[in-house]
C-alpha cells in the first residue's frame, strides 16, 4: 500500500469526502496537419470506426441511465451514427483533409445549420460538439473527454466550467478537486450549493492515478492521497461532529441574543425545495442565471414565474431574495451578448445588461411581480453589479412599479461600497457580494488561482469596505446582508456580525457551522474580532487577529486552527 501524502489546495467551504479518483479529461486539441495527406481509404475506415465506437458507447450509457439523461444520451448516440455527418467527413477526407480536422469541419457545418434553425435544434450543438470531441479522441488514441462514473468518486480535473459541473452525474460525485480555478469561482460555488466537498488549486492532482483513494478535507484545504487508517478515523470523527452541529436549528443569533438571520443561497426551484427543509431562515440569494444557462433564448415570463412560485411556496412565510440576471464575465449566456468584450468582467455584466437587452430585466421583473401579487412582502428582489446611486434608483423604481415591495441592490463594486449611504437612500436593502467585491477591490480575477492570495476575502481592504457598508446600513436603519462566500466561513461570520451585518446567506451545508460559531460568542466579542481584523495590514493578520479572540473549544470543534 502506498504512503499517505498531502497536496495543498484552497476551499471556500467545509466538508469531508473519501473515495476513488475519477479523472475528467478535457477535449483533445487538434494536432498540426501532417505535411503528407493520410491515405483516404485508411482515413475513411478510421473515421467510420471512431464514429461507430462512440455511438455504441453512448447507446450503452443511455441504456444504463434514466429519464432526461437517458433521452439526451440516446439522441446524442443518434448524432454519432448520422450518415449525413459521416458522409461529409468522407468527402472532406477525399479532398485531402486530415481525419481529425475533417471531423471538426463537418461538425462545424452541421452546428451552423442547427444554430440557424433556432431552438430547440440549436440547443443540440453542445451534444454535437461532445460527439466531435469523443470521435477525435478515438482517432488520436487519447482518453475520451469528460468522465463516466460507475461508483461514488472524487472527480479530479484541470478545471471545470459551471456547465461541465452541471453535466456530471451528481449522484455519484463525492467530491471535486481541480488544479486551477479559485475558491470563489462558480464551479466551487455550485459544489458548495450541492454540499459537495470541493478543493481548487491542487497542483499535481491530475497526476494521481485513476482509482487511487483520496480524502478531501475542505476546511483545512488538504487533499490526502492514500489516507492512513488513523487519518480516516480522524476525518470520520470530524464529519460526525459536523453532523451533530446540524441538529441545532435555532434562528441565527449571538449568545446574548443579537439576531443575524441565516439564509440560503440557491440557484433553482429544486435547490429551494432542498434548502427549505433545512433550518435556513429564508433565501438570501437566488442566482437566476441558472434558469438561463445552456439556453438558446430566455425562458418565457410564465416559465420564470413558475420557478419563482415554487421557491416561494417552498419557503412559505420566510423571505426569498431573488437576484436578477447576472450574465456576463464567467457566466456567459450565448444569447445575452451581442459583441465580444476585451474585459468581460468589466463589461456589460449583471444589471448593466439592461443597457443592451432591456427586455431580459423587464421579463424577470414581470415574472417576479406576478408572483409577488400573491406572495406579498416575502418576495424581495435585488440587482447585481450596480455601481451608482442612479442605477439603484432606476432599478428600485422599476421593481416597485412591477409590484415588488422590497427592492435592493448588491454591493460588489467598490464604487457602490463607497457610496453605500447614497445607495441605501434609494434602496430598501443591500447585500454584499464579497466574491466580486474582492475581485474588483483587489483588481484580481476571482477565477485565477495564481492570484488567490489577493482575492482572499480576509484582505483588510475588502473588510474595510464591508464595514463601511454595514455602518451605512446601521445609520440608515436598513438591512445589510452578505451573500458572498465570506458568509459561509464561521470565523468570518463572527467578524461580519461584529461589523453590524444583519443577515448571512450561504450554501445550506455551511449553515450549521456558522450558527454554531455565532451562538457561542457575544455581540461584544464579535465586535472585538471585527475591530482586530479591520486594523490588520494583511489577510493572514486579519484572520489570525480574529481567531485569537475565538473561544478555543469552538475553534477546535470547527477545525479553524
Ligand atoms: C458575489 O459576487 O459575492 C456574489 C454573491 O455573486 P456571484 O458569486 O454570483 O457573482
Ligand atoms: Mg457577484
Amino acid at each position: 500500500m502506498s504512503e499517505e501524502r498531502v497536496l495543498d489546495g484552497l476551499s471556500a467551504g467545509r466538508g469531508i469526502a473519501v473515495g476513488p479518483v475519477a479523472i475528467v479529461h478535457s477535449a483533445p486539441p487538434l494536432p498540426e496537419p501532417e505535411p503528407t495527406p493520410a491515405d483516404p481509404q485508411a482515413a475513411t475506415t478510421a473515421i467510420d470506426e471512431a464514429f461507430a465506437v462512440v455511438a455504441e458507447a453512448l447507446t450503452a450509457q443511455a441504456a444504463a441511465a434514466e429519464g432526461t439523461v437517458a433521452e439526451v444520451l440516446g439522441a446524442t448516440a443518434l448524432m454519432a451514427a448520422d450518415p449525413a455527418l459521416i458522409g461529409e467527413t468522407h468527402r472532406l477526407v477525399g479532398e485531402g483533409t486530415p481525419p481529425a480536422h475533417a471531423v471538426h469541419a463537418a461538425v462545424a457545418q452541421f452546428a451552423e445549420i442547427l444554430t440557424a434553425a433556432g431552438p430547440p435544434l440549436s440547443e443540440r450543438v453542445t451534444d454535437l460538439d461532445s460527439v466531435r470531441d469523443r470521435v477525435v479522441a478515438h482517432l488520436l488514441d487519447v482518453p475520451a473527454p469528460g468522465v463516466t462514473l460507475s461508483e461514488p468518486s472524487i472527480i479530479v480535473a484541470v478545471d471545470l466550467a459551471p456547465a461541465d459541473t452541471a453535466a456530471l452525474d451528481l449522484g455519484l460525485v463525492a467530491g471535486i478537486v481541480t488544479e486551477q480555478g479559485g475558491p470563489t469561482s462558480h464551479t466551487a460555488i455550485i459544489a458548495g450549493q450541492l454540499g459537495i466537498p470541493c478543493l481548487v488549486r491542487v497542483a499535481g492532482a491530475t497526476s494521481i492515478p485513476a482509482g487511487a483513494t483520496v480524502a478531501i478535507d475542505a476546511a483545512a484545504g488538504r487533499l490526502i492521497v492514500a489516507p492512513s487508517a488513523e487519518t480516516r478515523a480522524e476525518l470520520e470523527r470530524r464529519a460526525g461532529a459536523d453532523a451533530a452541529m446540524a441538529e441545532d436549528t435555532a434562528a441565527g443569533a449571538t449568545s446574548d441574543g443579537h439576531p443575524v438571520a441565516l439564509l440560503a443561497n440557491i440557484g433553482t426551484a429544486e435547490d429551494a425545495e432542498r434548502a427549505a427543509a433545512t433550518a435556513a431562515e429564508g433565501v438570501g440569494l437566488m442566482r437566476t442565471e441558472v434558469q438561463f444557462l445552456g439556453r438558446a433564448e430566455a425562458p418565457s415570463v410564465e416559465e420564470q414565474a413558475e420557478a419563482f412560485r415554487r421557491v416561494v411556496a417552498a419557503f412559505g412565510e420566510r423571505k426569498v431574495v431573488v437576484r436578477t440576471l447576472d450574465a456576463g464575465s464567467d457566466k456567459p449566456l450565448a444569447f445575452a451578448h451581442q459583441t465580444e468584450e476585451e474585459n468581460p468582467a468589466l463589461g456589460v455584466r449583471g444589471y448593466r445588461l439592461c443597457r443592451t437587452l432591456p427586455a431580459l430585466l423587464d421579463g424577470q421583473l414581470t415574472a417576479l411581480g406576478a408572483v409577488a401579487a400573491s406572495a406579498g412582502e416575502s418576495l424581495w428582489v435585488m440587482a447585481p453589479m450596480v455601481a451608482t446611486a442612479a442605477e439603484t434608483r432606476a432599478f428600485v423604481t422599476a421593481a416597485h412599479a412591477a409590484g415588488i415591495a422590497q427592492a435592493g441592490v448588491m454591493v460588489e463594486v467598490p464604487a457602490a461600497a463607497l457610496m453605500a449611504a447614497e445607495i441605501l437612500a434609494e434602496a430598501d436593502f443591500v447585500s454584499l457580494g464579497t466574491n466580486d467585491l474582492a475581485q474588483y477591490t483587489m483588481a484580481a480575477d476571482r477565477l485565477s488561482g495564481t492570484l488567490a492570495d489577493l482575492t482572499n476575502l480576509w484582505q483588510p481592504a475588502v473588510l474595510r469596505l464591508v464595514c463601511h457598508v454595514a455602518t451605512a446600513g446601521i445609520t440608515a436603519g436598513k438591512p445589510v446582508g452578505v451573500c458572498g462566500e465570506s458568509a459561509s466561513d464561521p470565523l468570518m461570520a463572527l467578524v461580519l456580525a461584529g461589523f453590524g451585518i444583519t443577515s448571512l446567506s450561504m450554501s445550506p451545508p455551511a449553515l450549521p457551522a456558522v450558527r454554531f460559531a455565532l451562538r457561542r460568542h457575544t455581540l461584544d466579542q464579535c465586535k472585538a474580532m471585527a475591530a482586530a481584523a479591520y486594523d490588520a495590514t494583511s489577510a493572514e493578520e486579519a484572520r489570525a487577529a480574529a481567531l485569537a479572540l475565538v473561544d478555543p473549544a469552538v475553534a477546535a470543534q470547527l477545525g479553524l486552527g
Side-chain angles (χ1 to χ4, degrees):
M1 209 171 141
S2 60
E3 280 282 289
E4 170 174 312
R5 66 192 169 98
V6 173
L7 302 180
D8 289 324
L10 297 172
S11 173
R14 299 172 59 74
I16 287 164
V18 182
V21 162
I23 307 274
V24 183
H25 299 284
S26 31
L30 269 186
E32 284 294 311
E34 297 284 331
T36 38
D39 164 16
Q41 189 53 48
T44 308
T45 310
I47 284 178
D48 287 351
E49 187 198 282
F51 272 105
V53 166
V54 170
E56 209 175 293
L58 286 165
T59 309
Q61 278 179 25
E66 285 174 14
T68 319
V69 178
E71 272 171 37
V72 171
L73 288 170
T76 314
L78 288 180
M79 288 180 163
D82 180 356
L85 176 63
I86 300 172
E88 179 58 15
T89 60
H90 289 177
R91 192 188 66 73
L92 289 163
V93 164
E95 286 179 350
T97 312
H101 292 258
V103 173
H104 262 259
V107 165
Q109 285 176 32
F110 278 68
E112 204 174 305
I113 297 167
L114 291 181
T115 306
L121 282 181
S122 53
E123 285 162 13
R124 307 308 311 278
V125 169
T126 322
D127 302 330
L128 194 55
D129 286 346
S130 119
V131 166
R132 175 199 63 202
D133 293 340
R134 286 161 185 250
V135 170
V136 169
H138 190 84
L139 285 170
L140 302 177
D141 200 19
V142 297
V147 67
T148 313
L149 301 174
S150 53
E151 59 179 327
S153 307
I154 310 273
I155 299 296
V156 177
V158 174
D159 202 0
L160 283 176
D164 297 336
T165 315
L168 292 168
D169 177 357
L170 294 171
L172 293 176
V173 178
I176 296 178
V177 176
T178 65
E179 290 188 343
Q180 298 176 0
T184 57
S185 61
H186 284 100
T187 291
I189 291 171
I190 292 174
Q193 186 87 59
L194 296 164
I196 299 173
C198 173
L199 281 177
V200 298
R201 292 308 288 175
V202 182
T206 56
S207 317
I208 303 170
T213 301
V214 294
I216 294 178
D217 178 357
R222 298 187 319 156
L223 180 70
I224 305 149
V225 185
S228 66
E230 298 82 72
T231 303
R232 290 178 73 146
E234 170 56 16
L235 291 175
E236 265 166 39
R237 188 198 63 73
R238 290 234 329 265
D242 276 7
M245 262 188 277
E247 312 246 306
D248 181 1
T249 56
T254 57
S255 59
D256 52 342
H258 171 74
V260 182
L262 299 181
L263 310 170
N265 287 355
I266 63 164
T268 60
E270 290 76 18
D271 289 346
E273 282 151 13
R274 269 194 302 271
T278 72
E281 293 165 62
V283 170
L285 167 63
M286 175 173 182
R287 289 183 163 97
T288 53
E289 49 280 4
V290 183
Q291 297 174 342
F292 292 71
L293 273 179
R295 307 278 294 240
E297 60 180 33
S300 69
V301 167
E302 189 35 51
E303 187 181 339
Q304 294 181 50
E306 189 45 40
F308 298 139
R309 233 172 253 128
R310 273 177 68 188
V311 175
V312 167
F315 276 87
E317 303 279 283
R318 292 175 279 179
K319 91 169 172 191
V320 170
V321 184
V322 173
R323 174 176 80 184
T324 56
L325 191 61
D326 186 24
S329 192
D330 66 329
K331 291 175 278 195
L333 292 186
F335 62 91
H337 287 92
Q338 301 109 318
T339 49
E340 283 285 309
E341 293 179 311
E342 282 203 15
N343 294 305
L346 304 180
V348 182
R349 185 197 153 176
Y351 176 69
R352 299 168 182 189
L353 269 177
C354 73
R355 294 163 188 250
T356 50
L357 293 166
L360 277 177
L361 181 62
D362 290 349
Q364 285 199 298
L365 291 180
T366 307
L368 285 164
V371 179
S374 52
E377 300 245 331
S378 71
L379 185 60
W380 299 25
V381 69
M382 63 183 180
M385 278 296 287
V386 163
T388 66
E391 285 176 340
T392 307
R393 185 181 318 128
F395 176 74
V396 170
T397 306
H400 287 166
I404 309 149
Q406 296 293 324
V409 297
M410 288 187 72
V411 174
E412 37 189 5
V413 177
L418 292 168
M419 297 296 283
E422 290 74 8
I423 283 179
L424 275 160
E426 306 290 346
D428 300 312
F429 70 98
V430 298
S431 183
L432 282 142
T434 46
N435 308 332
D436 277 313
L437 186 61
Q439 152 162 280
Y440 296 119
T441 302
M442 304 304 296
D445 187 342
R446 65 194 265 187
L447 294 180
S448 161
T450 320
L451 302 177
D453 57 320
L454 293 176
T455 47
N456 184 327
L457 298 166
W458 286 94
Q459 281 290 350
V462 180
L463 295 180
R464 290 180 189 196
L465 286 175
V466 170
C467 176
H468 182 76
V469 180
T471 307
I474 294 168
T475 308
K478 291 186 177 174
V480 174
V482 171
C483 62
E485 292 304 297
S486 301
S488 61
D489 170 350
L491 180 55
M492 178 71 87
L494 297 173
V495 168
L496 296 174
F499 284 147
I501 293 297
T502 55
S503 65
L504 298 168
S505 193
M506 65 204 82
S507 59
L511 288 163
V514 170
R515 175 181 293 107
F516 179 87
L518 275 175
R519 273 160 61 79
R520 277 153 191 82
H521 296 90
T522 61
L523 180 58
D524 278 347
Q525 284 175 310
C526 293
K527 284 184 178 166
M529 289 175 218
Y534 186 101
D535 285 337
T537 44
S538 72
E540 294 69 31
E541 236 183 66
R543 187 177 186 280
L547 183 57
L549 299 172
V550 170
D551 176 336
V554 175
Q557 166 93 33
L558 292 171
L560 298 179

